[in-house]
Amino acid sequence: MEAHGDGIQQLLAAENEAQQIIKAAREAKAERLKQAKDEAAREVAAFKQELEAQYAESVDADASENASSVERMRSESDAEITQVTQSMVANKQQVLDMLLTQVKTVGGR
Protein backbone atom coordinates (compact mmCIF):
# COMPACT_ATOMS: atom_id res chain seq x y z
CA MET A 1 0.00 0.00 0.00
CA GLU A 2 2.97 2.22 0.57
CA ALA A 3 3.77 2.08 -3.15
CA HIS A 4 0.26 3.31 -3.90
CA GLY A 5 0.70 6.22 -1.42
CA ASP A 6 4.08 6.93 -2.93
CA GLY A 7 2.51 7.17 -6.39
CA ILE A 8 -0.09 9.64 -5.13
CA GLN A 9 2.61 11.71 -3.48
CA GLN A 10 4.56 11.72 -6.74
CA LEU A 11 1.44 12.81 -8.65
CA LEU A 12 0.76 15.60 -6.14
CA ALA A 13 4.39 16.70 -6.32
CA ALA A 14 4.29 16.67 -10.13
CA GLU A 15 1.01 18.63 -10.11
CA ASN A 16 2.49 21.17 -7.70
CA GLU A 17 5.62 21.46 -9.86
CA ALA A 18 3.47 21.90 -12.98
CA GLN A 19 1.49 24.65 -11.23
CA GLN A 20 4.75 26.40 -10.29
CA ILE A 21 5.99 26.15 -13.90
CA ILE A 22 2.68 27.55 -15.20
CA LYS A 23 2.77 30.37 -12.62
CA ALA A 24 6.35 31.25 -13.58
CA ALA A 25 5.41 31.18 -17.30
CA ARG A 26 2.44 33.47 -16.68
CA GLU A 27 4.60 35.88 -14.69
CA ALA A 28 7.26 35.86 -17.42
CA LYS A 29 4.58 36.46 -20.06
CA ALA A 30 3.11 39.35 -18.05
CA GLU A 31 6.60 40.86 -17.67
CA ARG A 32 7.27 40.52 -21.43
CA LEU A 33 3.91 42.18 -22.18
CA LYS A 34 4.74 45.02 -19.78
CA GLN A 35 8.14 45.49 -21.42
CA ALA A 36 6.56 45.45 -24.89
CA LYS A 37 3.97 48.00 -23.79
CA ASP A 38 6.68 50.26 -22.31
CA GLU A 39 8.77 49.97 -25.48
CA ALA A 40 5.74 50.79 -27.65
CA ALA A 41 4.98 53.83 -25.48
CA ARG A 42 8.58 55.04 -25.88
CA GLU A 43 8.42 54.55 -29.65
CA VAL A 44 5.09 56.41 -29.84
CA ALA A 45 6.53 59.27 -27.77
CA ALA A 46 9.62 59.47 -29.99
CA PHE A 47 7.49 59.42 -33.14
CA LYS A 48 5.18 62.08 -31.73
CA GLN A 49 8.17 64.26 -30.83
CA GLU A 50 9.58 63.81 -34.35
CA LEU A 51 6.24 64.80 -35.93
CA GLU A 52 5.94 67.82 -33.64
CA ALA A 53 9.46 68.91 -34.61
CA GLN A 54 8.61 68.55 -38.30
CA TYR A 55 5.41 70.54 -37.77
CA ALA A 56 7.26 73.30 -35.91
CA GLU A 57 9.87 73.42 -38.67
CA SER A 58 7.11 73.66 -41.28
CA VAL A 59 5.37 76.45 -39.35
CA ASP A 60 8.67 78.32 -39.02
CA ALA A 61 9.35 77.92 -42.74
CA ASP A 62 5.85 79.19 -43.59
CA ALA A 63 6.25 82.14 -41.24
CA SER A 64 9.62 82.97 -42.75
CA GLU A 65 8.19 82.64 -46.24
CA ASN A 66 5.23 84.85 -45.31
CA ALA A 67 7.53 87.44 -43.76
CA SER A 68 9.70 87.52 -46.87
CA SER A 69 6.57 87.76 -49.05
CA VAL A 70 5.29 90.68 -46.99
CA GLU A 71 8.68 92.38 -47.20
CA ARG A 72 8.83 91.78 -50.96
CA MET A 73 5.31 93.18 -51.43
CA ARG A 74 6.15 96.19 -49.27
CA SER A 75 9.29 96.82 -51.31
CA GLU A 76 7.39 96.51 -54.60
CA SER A 77 4.65 98.84 -53.33
CA ASP A 78 7.21 101.40 -52.20
CA ALA A 79 8.90 101.23 -55.60
CA GLU A 80 5.57 101.72 -57.40
CA ILE A 81 4.66 104.66 -55.14
CA THR A 82 8.05 106.23 -55.82
CA GLN A 83 7.61 105.72 -59.56
CA VAL A 84 4.09 107.24 -59.56
CA THR A 85 5.30 110.17 -57.47
CA GLN A 86 8.21 110.80 -59.84
CA SER A 87 5.89 110.53 -62.83
CA MET A 88 3.49 112.99 -61.22
CA VAL A 89 6.28 115.47 -60.52
CA ALA A 90 7.68 115.09 -64.04
CA ASN A 91 4.32 115.47 -65.78
CA LYS A 92 2.74 118.01 -63.43
CA GLN A 93 3.44 121.01 -65.65
CA GLN A 94 2.25 119.23 -68.81
CA VAL A 95 -1.04 118.26 -67.12
CA LEU A 96 -1.56 121.82 -65.86
CA ASP A 97 -0.83 123.24 -69.33
CA MET A 98 -3.25 120.76 -70.91
CA LEU A 99 -5.97 121.61 -68.39
CA LEU A 100 -5.48 125.35 -68.90
CA THR A 101 -5.64 124.87 -72.66
CA GLN A 102 -8.88 122.91 -72.34
CA VAL A 103 -10.38 125.52 -70.00
CA LYS A 104 -9.43 128.33 -72.39
CA THR A 105 -10.82 126.35 -75.34
CA VAL A 106 -14.15 125.70 -73.61
CA GLY A 107 -14.27 129.25 -72.22
CA GLY A 108 -13.43 130.74 -75.61
CA ARG A 109 -16.31 129.09 -77.47
Side-chain angles (χ1 to χ4, degrees):
M1 181 87 176
E2 197 172 303
H4 182 59
D6 232 6
I8 293 176
Q9 288 300 323
Q10 285 179 342
L11 284 175
L12 289 175
E15 182 180 356
N16 190 24
E17 184 181 346
Q19 287 177 350
Q20 292 300 320
I21 291 171
I22 291 171
K23 180 181 176 186
R26 284 183 180 152
E27 289 173 355
K29 181 181 177 182
E31 182 61 28
R32 284 193 312 269
L33 286 174
K34 182 180 181 283
Q35 289 173 350
K37 185 177 179 180
D38 291 345
E39 178 65 25
R42 284 192 297 274
E43 287 179 11
V44 166
F47 184 67
K48 180 180 177 184
Q49 186 176 13
E50 180 182 333
L51 287 179
E52 286 175 348
Q54 288 175 357
Y55 176 73
E57 184 178 308
S58 174
V59 167
D60 289 346
D62 288 346
S64 175
E65 186 176 307
N66 287 340
S68 67
S69 293
V70 167
E71 186 59 36
R72 182 181 46 81
M73 289 174 64
R74 181 175 289 133
S75 176
E76 289 174 2
S77 295
D78 289 346
E80 287 180 27
I81 290 170
T82 301
Q83 182 182 5
V84 168
T85 302
Q86 288 173 350
S87 177
M88 181 189 76
V89 168
N91 296 320
K92 181 178 179 180
Q93 191 58 47
Q94 288 177 328
V95 171
L96 285 173
D97 291 343
M98 183 183 71
L99 285 173
L100 287 173
T101 303
Q102 291 297 323
V103 169
K104 288 178 186 176
T105 303
V106 173
R109 283 191 181 180

